[in-house]
Amino acid sequence: MASLPPAPEVSPGKSLKEMLTPSLLVLFGSQTGTAHDVAERIGREARRRRLQCRVRALDSYNVVNLINEPLVIFVCATTGQGDPPDNMKNFWKFIFRKNLPPTSLCQMDYAVLGLGDSSYAKFNFVAKKLHRRLLQLGGNALLPIGLGDDQHDLGPDAVIGPWLLDLWRKVLGLYPVPSDLSVIPADTPLPSRFILNFCDGVPGISCEEQHAENQRPEELPSDHKPFLAPMVSNQRVTAKSHFQDVRLIEFDITGSGISFTAGDIVMIQPQNSASDTKQFCHLLNLDPDQHFVLQPREPDVICPTQLPQPCTIHHLVSHYLDITRVPHRSFFEILACLSQHQMEREKLFEFSSAQGQEELYNYCNRPRRTILEVLGDFPHSAASIPPDYLLDLIPPIRPRAYSIASSLLAHPFRVQIIVAVVQYQTRLRKPRQGLCTSWLASLDPSREPVRVPLWVRNSGLTFPSEPNTPVIMVGPGTGVAPFRAAIQQRVAQGQKGNYLFFGCRQKDKDFYCEAEWQELIQRGFLTLITAFSRDQEEKIYVQHRLQEHGALVWELLNQHGAYFYLAG
């Protein structure tokens, strides 16, 4: 695996108790943020038990150092059809190298907690496979793998809580802390991870200008350094009378170095609305124009690369804090510790307890109540939140992934996406809205210049390069996006044999890109088969059209080696 580095020197500032306290490492692989939240929860519980603890994303940790770690907890989500999350893919490739010795991790005690959904065939596949691999490399499992399940009435917490109790019993049995160090009570707030040092002076440039200055020309855009792409157009492609607002949005990527092919994905970093940002600052008595420099409280804590230094409260809230997401249980746990209002504090602790999970689900998860709305329901607690705790309390806004709906061969230096604006109703009066789609829909480049942070990544979806290989694509609704890119790419390369099954509700309401398809049909590059489900009394979907054209589909697959794709 790697040769052992020299033993680290003991810091002269450390006490004997600190040197004797075991060091716990929590590594997580998270796609939607749940595994990250659970990993931070484990970190907090460890600190309450006087254990030194580090929490890291798997791909931000140098995996060769695992041979020196005595105690590691892995928290892993499973995505797609048994795939690892994006922030552990490099770790995944390394840990499954065939040349790793079977004794590589013989000094490591470990435990694996998986987060998955039992409605999928490969339930918690990543956690199960990792657990087996760590055993193969000589690791010592402290306890059986924990398998959290979204389908449980109480969600993954039904497994996480009992599993953590077993974990701490095992860990503290093997690594007892000094007897005079008692457990920090659950109602006592732990120190924040960061300190917001407020500045009297105002920097000469804005946060956005700092971002532009920090962007190196030779550096490809990524989650750490997105490209601020000018929005060229934002066109509604459904009728105004149609209930669903769908947009065809185009960005200019000139000078970004971004390249992509059909099937790739564009990642977009959204922002909170001006009204939500203003309401949040009002609830917490924050001055949005106040500048601060973010300082880690501990040397092994890393400042978020997405935040400029110095930064304004407005930029922190509008660009970083995910105030419109449904809060996790940990939000109520931390807020309860910080609250100074007895009645609100008691209710918050109830929501954060194991016994209060059903009530919390009915209050928060079922109606999709947001962090901002919860703070409005607990105004005294919101007003008493110290700014230093903002990054502990509220997770960062996560980027959203969209299939690219255009080809560079047809539209050089452009990226296009087809996006359905998410809006739905729950028992709450205010409609629920998708953060990114609502933000994108609100932008109008015809009125003022608009720049959107984005970068591109490969999705693993590829199309055949052989000129005579037919392609059958089934893309109802916005699922047609990657196939539009593929058709544009194949047409630019002179490839025919493009068969598209497209479905929507009504021909005159939500038939995206109709004129474009008709032109390609006339040029002989496209065979289009449509299903308009609401244009007749009996609903007709793409699966009905596939059945009707079964002979054609089978001939293409059996005799011509066609590729078959489905996207929803």
Side-chain angles (χ1 to χ4, degrees):
M1 208 167 170
S3 59
L4 282 171
E9 295 181 6
V10 175
S11 170
K14 285 189 175 183
S15 68
L16 179 60
K17 286 180 182 176
E18 288 177 310
M19 292 172 355
L20 293 174
T21 303
S23 177
L24 169 65
L25 174 65
V26 182
L27 296 175
F28 66 88
S30 182
Q31 192 71 21
T32 64
T34 303
H36 186 182
D37 182 75
V38 172
E40 293 291 355
R41 173 183 171 182
I42 294 172
R44 288 192 300 274
E45 292 194 13
R47 294 180 193 106
R48 290 194 181 280
R49 288 161 175 81
R50 307 290 184 165
L51 298 167
Q52 295 179 52
C53 184
R54 294 162 290 150
V55 179
R56 293 281 185 277
L58 275 155
D59 276 357
S60 70
Y61 175 79
N62 189 352
V63 65
V64 298
N65 291 334
L66 269 185
I67 60 175
N68 302 315
E69 300 288 355
L71 182 58
V72 185
I73 311 301
F74 296 88
V75 185
C76 304
T78 296
T79 68
Q81 300 301 315
D83 300 318
D86 291 335
N87 68 351
M88 69 175 287
K89 285 185 175 178
N90 293 333
F91 167 86
W92 196 249
K93 290 176 185 175
F94 185 95
I95 205 70
F96 283 97
R97 285 184 180 177
K98 292 182 179 179
N99 62 348
L100 298 182
T103 57
S104 298
L105 303 178
C106 60
Q107 86 307 326
M108 186 180 80
D109 291 331
Y110 78 91
V112 175
L113 176 60
L115 301 175
D117 187 324
S118 58
S119 66
Y120 286 80
K122 293 192 174 182
F123 172 57
N124 268 314
F125 180 79
V126 169
K128 292 172 182 175
K129 190 171 181 179
L130 176 62
H131 179 66
R132 290 194 297 269
R133 181 56 173 161
L134 296 173
L135 285 174
Q136 291 173 355
L137 295 175
N140 173 47
L142 291 175
L143 68 165
I145 185 174
L147 300 175
D149 185 6
D150 276 342
Q151 291 299 313
H152 192 282
D153 288 343
L154 299 179
D157 265 330
V159 168
I160 295 170
W163 188 85
L164 285 177
L165 290 176
D166 290 342
L167 174 71
W168 299 129
R169 277 194 290 266
K170 191 75 174 179
V171 167
L172 294 174
L174 292 171
Y175 302 94
V177 297
S179 57
D180 59 334
L181 291 179
S182 60
V183 174
I184 300 172
D187 60 355
T188 301
L190 294 168
S192 63
R193 287 181 300 148
F194 298 98
I195 300 169
L196 274 65
N197 292 314
F198 290 102
C199 316
D200 293 330
V202 179
I205 61 173
S206 68
C207 295
E208 287 72 19
E209 288 171 325
Q210 286 186 56
H211 180 283
E213 282 194 355
N214 292 335
Q215 187 75 49
R216 299 173 188 167
E218 72 279 3
E219 188 177 10
L220 279 178
S222 66
D223 55 339
H224 297 300
K225 296 287 184 185
F227 177 69
L228 293 177
M231 181 183 283
V232 178
S233 61
N234 188 348
Q235 174 191 359
R236 177 166 177 153
V237 291
T238 50
K240 286 190 176 181
S241 59
H242 189 57
F243 78 98
Q244 179 73 73
D245 182 357
V246 178
R247 302 299 181 98
L248 174 62
I249 304 175
E250 183 175 73
F251 303 100
D252 183 353
I253 55 170
T254 302
S256 67
I258 289 176
S259 180
F260 59 87
T261 188
D264 285 348
I265 287 170
V266 62
M267 306 296 294
I268 293 179
Q269 185 68 41
Q271 299 171 18
N272 292 311
S273 69
S275 59
D276 285 344
T277 300
K278 182 179 179 180
Q279 184 185 356
F280 181 88
C281 291
H282 175 72
L283 284 168
L284 274 69
N285 296 321
L286 296 170
D287 177 2
D289 297 323
Q290 181 72 61
H291 287 78
F292 67 89
V293 173
L294 196 64
Q295 175 188 339
R297 197 176 288 274
E298 299 293 338
D300 62 341
V301 175
I302 301 169
C303 285
T305 56
Q306 302 94 318
L307 289 178
Q309 295 272 43
C311 183
T312 63
I313 289 292
H314 183 275
H315 186 90
L316 172 68
V317 179
S318 62
H319 288 65
Y320 187 78
L321 300 180
D322 198 354
I323 59 177
T324 63
R325 71 161 297 143
V326 177
H328 290 295
R329 176 179 171 180
S330 59
F331 172 85
F332 294 90
E333 170 202 327
I334 297 171
L335 186 57
C337 287
L338 300 174
S339 177
Q340 298 174 15
H341 188 275
Q342 184 177 351
M343 288 183 61
E344 291 185 2
R345 181 179 170 92
E346 288 174 359
K347 192 63 182 178
L348 290 165
F349 271 122
E350 183 182 337
F351 279 147
S352 67
S353 69
Q355 297 76 21
Q357 290 312 288
E358 186 172 352
E359 188 179 359
L360 176 59
Y361 182 84
N362 290 327
Y363 168 70
C364 236
N365 298 72
R366 192 183 299 279
R368 311 304 294 167
R369 198 182 304 269
T370 68
I371 285 176
L372 183 59
E373 290 168 329
V374 172
L375 291 172
D377 287 347
F378 294 86
H380 300 91
S381 303
S384 65
I385 296 171
D388 286 353
Y389 281 91
L390 287 174
L391 279 75
D392 294 271
L393 187 65
I394 303 173
I397 297 173
R398 303 186 71 82
R400 271 53 168 181
Y402 297 100
S403 293
I404 296 175
S406 61
S407 168
L408 286 172
L409 298 180
H411 301 278
F413 307 111
R414 295 288 191 267
V415 171
Q416 296 179 355
I417 56 175
I418 296 175
V419 177
V421 180
V422 176
Q423 181 170 309
Y424 58 96
Q425 197 74 48
T426 67
R427 62 179 173 84
L428 299 178
R429 184 176 62 182
K430 184 180 178 182
R432 307 294 90 186
Q433 294 183 322
L435 173 62
C436 191
T437 57
S438 298
W439 174 64
L440 287 172
S442 73
L443 303 175
D444 186 355
S446 66
R447 291 186 177 179
E448 60 181 355
V450 174
R451 290 179 177 267
V452 172
L454 58 77
W455 63 99
V456 166
R457 67 175 173 84
N458 180 271
S459 72
L461 178 66
T462 57
F463 293 86
S465 56
E466 300 83 3
N468 297 320
T469 302
V471 173
I472 305 167
M473 297 160 282
V474 183
T478 55
V480 79
F483 303 142
R484 182 174 182 261
I487 291 168
Q488 288 183 0
Q489 180 173 296
R490 287 170 59 84
V491 169
Q493 294 169 337
Q495 294 175 293
K496 297 189 176 183
N498 302 304
Y499 295 81
L500 175 63
F501 287 78
F502 175 76
C504 63
R505 284 180 169 244
Q506 295 169 294
K507 185 178 188 297
D508 61 347
K509 300 282 189 184
D510 55 340
F511 189 6
Y512 324 139
C513 312
E514 179 184 7
E516 183 177 337
W517 303 140
Q518 294 300 336
E519 185 205 354
L520 293 175
I521 292 169
Q522 291 175 9
R523 292 170 57 193
F525 280 101
L526 178 66
T527 299
L528 177 66
I529 299 166
T530 56
F532 304 115
S533 63
R534 304 300 197 276
D535 274 351
Q536 60 285 312
E537 189 173 333
E538 184 180 352
K539 293 185 177 72
I540 297 176
Y541 298 107
V542 287
Q543 57 264 38
H544 298 120
R545 297 303 192 205
L546 282 166
Q547 194 171 25
E548 291 171 13
H549 295 81
L552 170 64
V553 172
W554 176 243
E555 179 187 340
L556 291 169
L557 292 170
N558 187 45
Q559 297 183 23
H560 301 282
Y563 283 57
F564 187 95
Y565 299 87
L566 172 65

